[in-house]
Amino acid sequence: MIHTELSQPSASFHASWLESWDEWGTLDQDGSAAFLAARYELDLRDGNDYAKWIELLHHMPLEEFQPPEGLVNQSTIWVVEGNSYLGSTSLRHSLANEYLTEVGGHIGYGIRPSARGRGLAKLALNGALEEARALGMERVLVTCKQPNVASARTIEACGGVLESVRPPESFAPALGVTEAIRRYWINL
């Protein structure tokens, strides 16, 4: 029997990761840190560029690594089942810019569409919370868009306490927020 587990990103999941990308229909997948590939002009459909992206994901959490401007050190954890990539979570080690402080929070997570409804988002979020504890963080901010009831339930099931629901007009226009944002704190 194949079981679902948390894993470090690996180049061995390339084919499955590409399938997930096709399911999402966008490179903008919550928790995946795929935006780093775009920042470094990497084509994730190319095996060599994909391997470079994986290496970058392994360097991002290291204190000595200097992330590109506007980004912070972060840990990325994948949800896998056998040789299938199912989703990911990213723990940002600090809220060092306005976007993260107001909108993004410490943790982002996402599960590929074909794997949703199995409790995997909760597994991913709990994995990020364990990583945060290991880093000595005392509390984390986790956010979701107001209409995303499934994500709100996941955050609440993992101990999230709702701070506020902020309408899009309460954010600076430069942040590009178009929907109300639910802001939760989780004490570790």
Side-chain angles (χ1 to χ4, degrees):
M1 181 175 168
I2 299 174
H3 68 282
T4 305
E5 61 187 346
L6 299 176
S7 171
Q8 291 297 309
S10 169
S12 67
F13 291 95
H14 189 215
S16 182
W17 196 91
L18 290 175
E19 291 169 2
S20 176
W21 182 5
D22 289 342
E23 283 181 30
W24 279 85
T26 178
L27 193 59
D28 184 22
Q29 303 168 35
D30 297 328
S32 74
F35 62 86
L36 290 171
R39 183 68 72 98
Y40 285 90
E41 299 180 4
L42 300 173
D43 174 4
L44 294 181
R45 294 202 185 275
D46 175 85
N48 291 326
D49 279 2
Y50 179 84
K52 290 175 187 175
W53 176 62
I54 296 297
E55 186 176 327
L56 180 60
L57 293 178
H58 286 273
H59 285 97
M60 284 292 291
L62 304 175
E63 284 185 36
E64 63 271 13
F65 181 79
Q66 181 64 44
E69 185 177 336
L71 303 179
V72 299
N73 292 89
Q74 70 177 41
S75 303
T76 301
I77 303 166
W78 283 3
V79 179
V80 300
E81 194 171 75
N83 60 2
S84 294
Y85 167 86
L86 302 179
S88 59
T89 184
S90 290
L91 168 68
R92 293 170 284 271
H93 298 183
S94 66
L95 301 179
N97 63 50
E98 183 181 15
Y99 181 81
L100 294 179
T101 301
E102 297 295 319
V103 182
H106 287 99
I107 299 172
Y109 56 88
I111 302 299
R112 69 191 281 178
S114 65
R116 293 179 184 160
R118 297 175 42 196
L120 300 178
K122 187 175 174 184
L123 175 69
L125 179 52
N126 277 321
L129 294 173
E130 285 303 313
E131 178 72 11
R133 285 183 189 95
L135 292 171
M137 298 171 78
E138 294 180 12
R139 69 183 197 145
V140 294
L141 174 65
V142 186
T143 67
C144 68
K145 294 177 181 172
Q146 171 69 10
N148 192 340
V149 175
S151 191
R153 287 184 181 148
T154 296
I155 297 166
E156 291 165 1
C158 292
V161 176
L162 184 65
E163 172 198 81
S164 62
V165 178
R166 294 186 48 198
E169 60 272 10
S170 71
F171 298 98
L175 297 178
V177 178
T178 59
E179 296 182 73
I181 301 293
R182 298 178 68 86
R183 293 170 45 91
Y184 291 89
W185 287 96
I186 299 176
N187 290 319
L188 303 172

